[in-house]
Amino acid sequence: EFAIIRVGYRGLSDGTLNEDPYFKKNIEGALANGIKVGVYMFSQALTEKEAIAEADYLIKRIKI
């Protein structure tokens, strides 16, 4: 009935924000097949600033 798709994650060693390599394929495939989707970011934020950056990263990638 639905899929929860990972948009991205924060690199553990360097702290960079990275898009899941299958995000676009997964979301496009789900939507093309009429599957409702939810998304998430695998967070490893240690500060409020990092959490906000992760939220902004996710929002920019799901805007249609």
Side-chain angles (χ1 to χ4, degrees):
E1 293 181 36
F2 64 92
I4 306 295
I5 298 172
R6 182 173 79 162
V7 173
Y9 58 94
R10 181 177 294 278
L12 183 59
S13 60
D14 60 6
T16 60
L17 297 176
N18 303 286
E19 185 172 289
D20 183 296
Y22 299 102
F23 167 65
K24 289 180 182 172
K25 179 180 178 181
N26 289 341
I27 200 159
E28 288 171 357
L31 294 173
N33 286 287
I35 299 171
K36 296 176 185 176
V37 297
V39 297
Y40 74 98
M41 180 83 179
F42 185 80
S43 177
Q44 296 191 73
L46 299 175
T47 66
E48 181 179 350
K49 183 178 178 181
E50 287 181 346
I52 291 169
E54 290 176 2
D56 289 341
Y57 182 91
L58 184 142
I59 290 167
K60 287 177 185 172
R61 275 151 185 80
I62 63 170
K63 284 189 176 180
I64 296 174

